[in-house]
Amino acid sequence: MTDIDVAIIGLGLAGSSTAWALARRGRSVAAFEMYAPGHRNGSSHGRSRIFRRAYPDPLYVELTGRAGELWRELEIASEESLLTLTGGLDHGSQPEIDLIAALLKADGVPTELLGSAEAAERWPGMVSEGPVVFHPEAGVLDPDRATAAMARLAVELGAHLAHETPVTAIEPLDQCVRIRTAEREWTAGTVVVAAGGWAGPLLSGLVTLPAVVPLLGDGHESGSYVHDGRMLMQTSYG
């Protein structure tokens, strides 16, 4: 017999979304976060993260489409405005931009493919040495509000959320898993570790994690472009 169906360690975007999703399915959930709500020690803080559909990989185009639907679903459930679509510009080498445009069109995303001169005329000040693809389904997500909204909805559905409660140990048992905090022990059928950079020490000796390899760059840079008071997401492929 376990205390809960699922224990979640970490309450950033990944942990909070897991708590909400499981609580919606009727599972009993307890989630633990070592810091206070809205902390700045992880990767889920701040007021903006880029959201875009344009990728040179059909899987990513498909997944971002589903993600957009789910963000809108969260907005309705929470009565919060979380995702602001501004449109996005991607530019760079001909083969890569042609591929991105083709994949967007194949997924039903409205897409415009322009030459560099035409793009410069339409968006003065933007410089591109190759073609430019525009799609309207890009913008910014508010991670602070999204995390708080999912945590609140999970609690409303019966989830137990404990902030400033570090998990000190994870112990697999025959039929369940025991986790320890300073206050008590919990047993769960499943443990989800969404602890980001703190996952390594928690999972040491339990799971072999892949080596973390620092990347100097993945061939593209993202930012924003403002014209006539309107902001567009911009990604340049080298």
Side-chain angles (χ1 to χ4, degrees):
M1 187 70 177
T2 61
D3 298 317
I4 48 174
D5 294 329
V6 183
I8 301 168
I9 304 174
L11 278 169
L13 279 171
S16 297
S17 63
T18 302
W20 178 45
L22 289 169
R24 286 203 296 171
R25 290 167 169 81
R27 302 295 184 89
S28 57
V29 175
F32 307 90
E33 167 59 53
M34 67 189 302
Y35 295 109
H39 70 84
R40 295 296 187 262
N41 299 298
S43 59
S44 296
H45 59 80
R47 298 304 303 271
S48 64
R49 291 291 187 279
I50 291 177
F51 175 86
R52 61 195 180 98
R53 300 293 313 281
Y55 287 91
D57 185 325
L59 177 61
Y60 274 44
V61 177
E62 178 186 348
L63 290 176
T64 54
R66 180 63 179 138
E69 295 172 358
L70 291 172
W71 286 125
R72 294 308 188 198
E73 189 176 322
L74 174 60
E75 287 183 318
I76 293 170
S78 65
E79 299 182 336
E80 296 265 9
S81 177
L82 304 171
L83 177 61
T84 302
L85 295 183
T86 62
L89 300 169
D90 289 73
H91 56 93
S93 66
Q94 184 86 44
E96 196 150 29
I97 297 305
D98 285 348
L99 174 60
I100 290 171
L103 291 175
L104 287 171
K105 290 178 180 178
D107 205 64
V109 180
T111 304
E112 295 181 62
L113 184 60
L114 304 89
S116 57
E118 184 181 3
E121 182 177 352
R122 183 168 171 181
W123 296 291
M126 193 195 81
V127 178
S128 172
E129 296 181 358
V132 177
V133 63
F134 169 80
H135 75 292
E137 296 182 19
V140 290
L141 174 77
D142 188 325
D144 276 350
R145 295 180 71 177
T147 301
M150 290 186 288
R152 172 173 58 82
L153 291 172
V155 170
E156 290 175 0
L157 291 170
H160 171 82
L161 269 58
H163 285 85
E164 298 181 278
T165 307
V167 170
T168 58
I170 303 171
E171 181 185 355
L173 304 176
D174 288 340
Q175 301 296 326
C176 62
V177 182
R178 177 188 292 131
I179 66 169
R180 294 189 180 93
T181 70
E183 289 76 24
R184 60 166 287 186
E185 295 182 350
W186 295 75
T187 55
T190 302
V191 172
V192 176
V193 178
W198 292 269
L202 276 172
L203 295 173
S204 178
L206 301 174
V207 176
T208 301
L209 297 175
V212 176
V213 180
L215 295 177
L216 298 178
D218 60 0
H220 71 272
E221 298 179 357
S222 296
S224 60
Y225 167 83
V226 179
H227 175 58
D228 286 343
R230 180 185 177 190
M231 181 178 70
L232 298 172
M233 296 300 101
Q234 178 181 224
T235 301
S236 172
Y237 290 81

